[in-house]
Amino acid sequence: MNGSPLHAWNLTPTQAIALQRRLACRVEREDRLDEVRRIAGVDIGFEQGGAITRAAVVVLAPGEGAAPDGAGPGAAVPGLQVVEEAVHREPTRMPYIPGLLSFREVPAALAAFDKLAVRPELVMVDGQGIAHPRRLGVASHLGLWLDLPTIGVAKSRLCGRHGEPGPERGDWAPLLDGDEVIGAVLRSRAGVKPIFVSPGHRISLATALHWVTACLGRTKLPEPTRLADRLASRRGE
């Protein structure tokens, strides 16, 4: 599923930062999506005190009418069903370095994608997209490797500033770095701290917000990343 290799992974932090700056120029921030029939959620966990990286991918199929023409961000995706899951474990390649998490996490995620029998049309990643100091978070980096539309869905802010979104589910405020809009601070559940949504690759912020909001269930996280988070945190399988 990964296609031609994008680059080598055995890089120093200085080399990785330089590569991020080069790759960020290749990230597409406008919509280039096929009809979305399957949505993948991706999350990364760690085992053995961080020595083993555990990547989980969960693929869901939306019910009919998931993305009707002209549907707004509040449209619902009825009947999301899990159609496939994949887990991959491997030795952790890089220590935890803020801003360089994709070099620690993406290799294992790519190996998990290689285990899938189906190819999703959209990927939601637990992490940042372009809401990153060098505009290449985990979702953007993974999207470039897979050549798929990706969305970053993060639980916390990495960079940028924002106002407080409204109190109701679906309210959001722009996430800004200078004058640049790099994402959205989305109230995914009334009365709960917001999540941080940013385009990863091949998708606009408006469409990213649409799909994240459409995939919300009863919890704070959209179903694809919620289920991937649950699978990534399992032990002893």
Side-chain angles (χ1 to χ4, degrees):
M1 180 178 287
N2 301 338
S4 301
L6 193 63
H7 58 78
W9 289 106
N10 55 336
L11 304 175
T12 67
T14 299
Q15 291 171 328
I17 289 170
L19 179 61
Q20 284 181 327
R21 293 192 171 107
R22 294 196 301 271
L23 291 179
C25 298
R26 297 172 58 176
V27 170
E28 300 176 30
R29 302 190 186 188
E30 300 299 327
D31 292 333
R32 184 162 67 90
L33 293 85
D34 297 326
E35 179 184 357
V36 178
R37 297 180 179 178
R38 291 174 290 264
I39 303 170
V42 182
D43 195 16
I44 307 296
F46 294 90
E47 301 176 356
Q48 299 179 25
I52 300 296
T53 302
R54 175 188 174 106
V57 180
V58 179
V59 182
L60 300 98
E64 292 185 5
D69 291 341
V77 175
L80 281 169
Q81 300 292 325
V82 175
V83 296
E84 192 173 7
E85 297 178 346
V87 173
H88 174 78
R89 297 177 181 87
E90 65 174 50
T92 300
R93 296 173 182 241
M94 180 179 278
Y96 173 80
I97 302 173
L100 294 180
L101 294 189
S102 63
F103 293 89
R104 179 175 166 91
E105 299 182 354
V106 168
L110 291 172
F113 269 93
D114 274 343
K115 296 181 177 182
L116 296 176
V118 299
R119 180 177 172 87
E121 291 80 31
L122 179 64
V123 180
M124 292 186 189
V125 183
D126 186 321
Q128 309 291 347
I130 65 169
H132 179 278
R134 291 172 292 279
R135 307 299 183 259
L136 197 86
V138 176
S140 297
H141 204 162
L142 182 63
L144 286 173
W145 268 92
L146 296 174
D147 191 24
L148 282 173
T150 55
I151 301 169
V153 183
K155 303 179 190 75
S156 60
R157 178 183 63 87
L158 179 61
C159 66
R161 56 180 171 76
H162 62 88
E164 188 71 10
E168 299 302 321
R169 171 173 161 154
D171 290 342
W172 65 278
L175 180 64
L176 303 167
D177 191 355
D179 294 330
E180 182 183 3
V181 179
I182 58 173
V185 186
L186 174 67
R187 188 79 66 190
S188 57
R189 187 177 180 189
V192 172
K193 289 183 179 180
I195 59 176
F196 294 79
V197 176
S198 58
H201 181 49
R202 289 179 50 179
I203 199 164
S204 66
L205 177 59
T207 302
L209 277 169
H210 160 70
W211 280 106
V212 170
T213 307
C215 289
L216 291 173
R218 296 181 179 180
T219 64
K220 174 177 178 175
L221 297 176
E223 285 297 284
T225 56
R226 182 186 75 82
L227 293 173
D229 176 86
R230 189 173 70 176
L231 185 59
S233 64
R234 289 180 185 169
R235 298 292 182 267
E237 293 187 340

